[in-house]
Amino acid sequence: MPQVSIPSVELPIHLCAKTIARRLIVIVISLTFAGVLSSYFWLSEFTFPSSKWFYELFSLDRELNIPAWYSAFSLLFCSGLLKAISVIKRKDSYSSYWKTLYFIFVYLSLDEAFSFHEILIIPSVRQALNLNPIFFQTWVIPGAILVAVFVFKYLKFWLDLPHKTRYLFFIAAVVYVSGTLGMEMIGGLLIEYFGRRSFITSTGIVIEEFLEMIGIVIFIYALITYLGSLKKNIKLKIYISEK
């Protein structure tokens, strides 16, 4: 008996900005607490049998573990929201700005997962130029320049956003950059004066990662709220065929 072909199937996905933000905040707090515990295990030189395994899995200062993958996927989620906005605003005068933001967050997601920026950490350059300890991580120099260029290029775009979105974008950017650049520079000072294996340096790392994750949550909330003001429903079509 031949199967009856169904023309289409609806799979509704409801995105509530406040609900998503609350749940992400719970995840961020949980990961931060796990990161604090992993720092304690590291400082105590893994006195418990499974403490090293826990540290590698939840440390906020390591790559390719749960906090790093969470940050990568949250940034990728931002890029998906930006892509949706860029499609809706494709005839807008600022459409290219939304597209560029989409690509920026795709890169940030990949960088969070694979740490491309660490290529720019060159100890020999730091020693040759006798740089201040705030530039211990030498990537912050080109990073700060790129942030300055971005602010200059996007100022008019930002000023043209609705008041609530403009405010949320500003808060998200300040919190995120304070973590990625600000605390990274402060971290260089802490390493210089207290050493890498110290309570104060570990505290700085926890604050850095917490600010980054919270900044992303605020940005996700801002994007979903703004997207909701543009379109209540967005149709995503997926075509499936044998070939």
Side-chain angles (χ1 to χ4, degrees):
M1 182 178 178
Q3 293 183 346
V4 178
S5 177
I6 302 174
S8 62
V9 177
E10 289 190 6
L11 298 172
I13 300 173
H14 181 66
L15 299 179
C16 176
K18 289 184 178 179
T19 301
I20 290 174
R22 289 193 195 103
R23 291 175 180 175
L24 289 177
I25 287 172
V26 171
I27 293 173
V28 168
I29 292 172
S30 301
L31 289 175
T32 302
F33 177 77
V36 170
L37 191 57
S38 70
S39 294
Y40 167 75
F41 290 149
W42 184 62
L43 292 171
S44 62
E45 299 185 358
F46 311 116
T47 53
F48 300 101
S50 301
S51 56
K52 189 172 183 180
W53 168 83
F54 187 91
Y55 167 77
E56 292 174 351
L57 199 60
F58 290 102
S59 173
L60 298 174
D61 196 31
R62 292 179 66 88
E63 309 301 332
L64 300 176
N65 62 5
I66 291 176
W69 284 115
Y70 163 77
S71 293
F73 281 115
S74 60
L75 286 165
L76 191 62
F77 184 49
C78 287
S79 71
L81 295 171
L82 287 164
K83 179 63 176 178
I85 294 172
S86 68
V87 170
I88 295 171
K89 306 278 285 185
R90 61 183 177 274
K91 295 182 180 179
D92 188 85
S93 58
Y94 292 111
S95 62
S96 61
Y97 288 76
W98 290 109
K99 288 179 183 177
T100 303
L101 275 176
Y102 158 69
F103 287 115
I104 288 173
F105 273 82
V106 169
Y107 169 78
L108 289 175
S109 174
L110 293 172
D111 181 65
E112 190 67 39
F114 303 108
S115 300
F116 298 142
H117 67 275
E118 291 192 358
I119 297 172
L120 299 175
I121 300 176
I122 309 172
S124 58
V125 171
R126 183 174 66 244
Q127 294 166 3
L129 298 177
N130 194 26
L131 295 175
N132 189 284
I134 63 173
F135 302 119
F136 182 85
Q137 306 285 7
T138 51
W139 73 265
V140 301
I141 299 173
I145 294 171
L146 288 173
V147 168
V149 171
F150 177 85
V151 170
F152 176 76
K153 290 284 188 181
Y154 270 78
L155 183 59
K156 189 177 178 182
F157 164 84
W158 176 72
L159 291 172
D160 199 51
L161 291 169
H163 175 73
K164 182 179 180 180
T165 306
R166 186 166 67 244
Y167 173 76
L168 288 171
F169 273 29
F170 175 76
I171 297 298
V174 168
V175 173
Y176 184 75
V177 174
S178 295
T180 52
L181 276 177
M183 287 305 301
E184 190 82 355
M185 295 168 79
I186 292 172
L189 288 172
L190 297 178
I191 292 171
E192 177 72 16
Y193 293 110
F194 300 100
R196 184 174 290 277
R197 206 182 195 106
S198 71
F199 172 77
I200 295 177
T201 303
S202 296
T203 301
I205 292 170
V206 170
I207 294 172
E208 174 188 337
E209 298 300 325
F210 177 76
L211 288 174
E212 286 184 29
M213 291 187 288
I214 285 295
I216 297 169
V217 172
I218 297 170
F219 192 57
I220 288 173
Y221 175 78
L223 288 174
I224 296 175
T225 303
Y226 180 67
L227 189 56
S229 70
L230 298 175
K231 294 281 185 180
K232 292 296 181 183
N233 296 297
I234 299 174
K235 291 183 179 180
L236 176 65
K237 292 185 178 180
I238 300 174
Y239 297 94
I240 302 173
S241 63
E242 185 178 353
K243 295 182 179 180

